Amino acid sequence: MSLGRVGLVAVLALPALGAAVLAVLPHRIDRAARITGTAFAAAAFVLSVLLALGGDDNWFGYRPRTAGGPGVRPWHELDLTWVPGLDLRFHLGVDGVSYPLVVLTALLTLLCCAYTAWRVPAPGRGRTLVALLLVVEVGIVGTFLALDLVLFFLFFEVVLLPMYAIIAIWGGEDRQHAARKFALYTLFGSVLLLVGVFTVVTAAGTADLVDLTGGGELSRGTQLAAFSLLAIAFAVKSPLWPLHSWLPDAHTQAPTVGSVILAGVLLKMGTYGLIRVAVGVAPEGARWAAPVLGTLAVAAIIVGSLVCLAQSELKRLIAYSSVGHMGFVLLGVATLTATGIQAALIGNIAHGVITGLLFFLAGAIKDRAHTGALAELGGLRESTPRLAGLLGFAAIASLGLPGLAGFWGEAFAVVAAWRVGGPFWTTLAVLAALGGALTAAYLLRLLRRVTHGPATPAVLTLTPGLAGAELAAWGPLVLLALAIGLAPTLVLGYAEVPVEALLEAIR
């Protein structure tokens, strides 16, 4: 087995092994168990980065293979017989579309595990929380690596139970309601995803995503039905308005690390699935539904921004901001153009980095002030200027300031819609641009309410310093937000070839 194939297996096996080790360690060594879990997450992150070191035939150079199949084959590919009687295969692969998401998932899991290792949300239970984070990593990374539809579905579902437990056990006062709502919406999407996968596999006679890209032998009617089922399933996870209402409750009640994983990478399972599976497998359905998807995406941008302008709770405001930001991602996908899909891919990564940072900061503020009410958090820069400065940086990055990561995805999603042309798409582009202005308005309002003005009683008692564990968790995200903003090729350079191949296959 080549080094690339070993890497594909190891990036899944290490967090799974780490979770298993933590499950058998005794409670009395909880701190050591948390550090052990963090070590497994660190090893998985290093391996995820090394996946970029070329194809199986050229380990030390970036050179995607182009032999066979529609478009570009993955850099590394593992294809083993899994269930011979049902012709199911354990088929994994990584390319420029999935690679940045795999690395982001591994990075955020590492940061969350490290944060938990030094700042325990519930004494004696940090070991279990780290183990659950590692299981979530297995499900999310597996979703990004799966090249078999049935395997994709199974990894997609692995995330449900551990994320439910993270919210229900370590969440806020209303955590049980939020966890149930998350589970119900997710199960609804899972049923539609299962039916969509069944429709495709039975009609095409194969579950191989490489062979299915471009529609394969699927009839137009089958593609329309399959895309409808798959798109709604992925819209729930993204989430797309009006299927978004589980997200604010889940974010508000989840512990800090739960919110970071939810916003940072779990939502990306939906947008990635829309690009890789729904558009790739049912391109005729995608073209047919593109106007509807574009309309809902712009509605998400406008509605999410307007709700944020009325929000009075910190984490809930950031949660609703994700609805708007993911609307830009989905608008890019709806254009079915190279510019739009590239905008969606970099928008995914930028949102994961910036909103992950915002939730880390929001959690730190709530832990210190014991409230998330904006009216009770004024004057943060007077007592904790470093924390206020980091919040200002994250908010400005989130509103899409040029030079920071948030700019590229939102700006070029609008450009892509404008370039499609015609009254309909031009109108969507204008409305999306208006939504971008509203995004700036609510984030500047957030800073005015929280960091400026006289310090409130809840803020006056805060200690000015930042813990080393906090700086270690936040620092990489600050650097990434700046690096991606200045050098978007860090993401787009990997994705250019596979995106062109995808578009060629679905024409």
Side-chain angles (χ1 to χ4, degrees):
M1 185 179 291
S2 70
L3 290 174
R5 295 188 181 96
V6 171
L8 288 175
V9 174
V11 80
L12 290 172
L14 277 172
L17 179 60
V21 169
L22 266 61
V24 300
L25 290 178
H27 287 285
R28 66 178 180 273
I29 59 169
D30 184 75
R31 177 67 179 274
R34 286 181 271 129
I35 295 174
T36 300
T38 302
F40 275 99
F45 169 66
V46 171
L47 282 174
S48 72
V49 173
L50 295 178
L51 288 175
L53 296 181
D56 294 330
D57 54 353
N58 184 20
W59 175 251
F60 294 104
Y62 170 70
R63 184 159 63 88
R65 293 179 290 123
T66 58
V72 176
R73 301 291 295 193
W75 303 343
H76 311 298
E77 190 173 9
L78 176 68
D79 191 2
L80 302 174
T81 300
W82 181 25
V83 184
L86 299 177
D87 194 28
L88 300 181
R89 308 191 66 81
F90 190 78
H91 192 183
L92 303 176
V94 63
D95 64 4
V97 172
S98 57
Y99 172 72
L101 291 168
V102 171
V103 174
L104 178 64
T105 303
L107 173 63
L108 288 181
T109 303
L110 170 59
L111 297 181
C112 287
C113 288
Y115 189 83
T116 305
W118 277 271
R119 297 178 65 86
V120 187
R125 294 192 296 177
R127 171 184 68 99
T128 306
L129 178 55
V130 171
L132 290 173
L133 290 171
L134 292 173
V135 175
V136 170
E137 180 181 9
V138 173
I140 297 176
V141 171
T143 299
F144 296 147
L145 295 180
L147 291 179
D148 180 277
L149 267 180
V150 175
L151 188 63
F152 176 93
F153 173 78
L154 293 177
F155 277 124
F156 201 89
E157 296 308 303
V158 164
V159 176
L160 172 59
L161 288 179
M163 185 54 70
Y164 173 89
I166 289 171
I167 299 171
I169 297 174
W170 287 274
E173 294 180 358
D174 201 20
R175 58 185 179 273
Q176 296 294 337
H177 170 74
R180 285 195 298 269
K181 195 170 184 180
F182 164 77
L184 286 173
Y185 270 82
T186 302
L187 286 172
F188 167 70
S190 298
V191 171
L192 294 179
L193 178 59
L194 178 60
V195 177
V197 168
F198 179 80
T199 300
V200 171
V201 173
T202 54
T206 180
D208 190 281
L209 270 174
V210 176
D211 293 337
L212 286 168
T213 300
E217 302 299 323
L218 298 179
S219 66
R220 185 175 188 276
T222 301
Q223 289 195 37
L224 298 187
F227 185 85
S228 299
L229 292 165
L230 295 170
I232 296 173
F234 294 134
V236 171
K237 189 74 77 174
S238 296
L240 178 64
W241 181 88
L243 301 172
H244 68 287
S245 62
W246 64 269
L247 182 68
D249 290 334
H251 271 314
T252 304
Q253 297 302 318
T256 297
V257 292
S259 294
V260 171
I261 293 296
L262 266 172
V265 285
L266 191 140
L267 304 186
K268 313 309 179 288
M269 296 167 65
T271 50
Y272 173 82
L274 189 64
I275 296 170
R276 175 76 79 189
V277 179
V279 173
V281 170
E284 289 194 48
R287 287 188 286 270
W288 165 72
V292 176
L293 182 60
T295 300
L296 293 176
V298 171
I301 296 169
I302 300 296
V303 172
S305 298
L306 292 175
V307 172
C308 284
L309 283 170
Q311 279 301 311
S312 59
E313 205 280 336
L314 181 59
K315 286 187 72 175
R316 201 166 183 87
L317 187 153
I318 299 171
Y320 269 109
S321 76
S322 291
V323 176
H325 289 308
M326 298 313 289
F328 281 103
V329 172
L330 292 164
L331 175 62
V333 176
T335 65
L336 298 178
T337 64
T339 301
I341 293 180
Q342 287 275 43
L345 294 174
I346 196 170
N348 266 338
I349 302 300
H351 177 264
V353 170
I354 297 169
T355 308
L357 176 60
L358 278 170
F359 274 114
F360 265 132
L361 297 171
I365 293 170
K366 289 190 70 173
D367 288 344
R368 287 167 164 80
H370 306 292
T371 180
L374 298 183
E376 299 176 24
L377 293 174
L380 187 67
R381 67 178 182 174
E382 301 297 329
S383 60
T384 315
R386 292 181 181 177
L387 185 56
L390 285 170
L391 181 64
F393 172 86
I396 290 172
S398 185
L399 64 82
L401 184 73
L404 296 175
F407 168 74
W408 299 103
E410 297 186 5
F412 282 93
V414 174
V415 169
W418 182 271
R419 285 181 176 176
V420 173
F424 176 76
W425 288 100
T426 300
T427 301
L428 291 188
V430 171
L431 291 175
L434 175 61
L438 292 174
T439 300
Y442 71 71
L443 286 166
L444 292 175
R445 169 181 174 269
L446 165 67
L447 293 179
R448 181 179 64 82
R449 297 288 297 273
V450 175
T451 63
H452 289 62
T456 60
V459 169
L460 280 173
T461 59
L462 303 186
T463 56
L466 299 176
E470 293 174 328
L471 292 175
W474 306 342
L477 300 180
V478 171
L479 293 176
L480 272 176
L482 183 60
I484 295 171
L486 295 175
T489 188
L490 290 172
V491 176
L492 300 181
Y494 291 114
E496 181 179 358
V497 173
V499 167
E500 290 177 356
L502 173 65
L503 292 174
E504 182 181 349
I506 67 175
R507 286 193 180 101

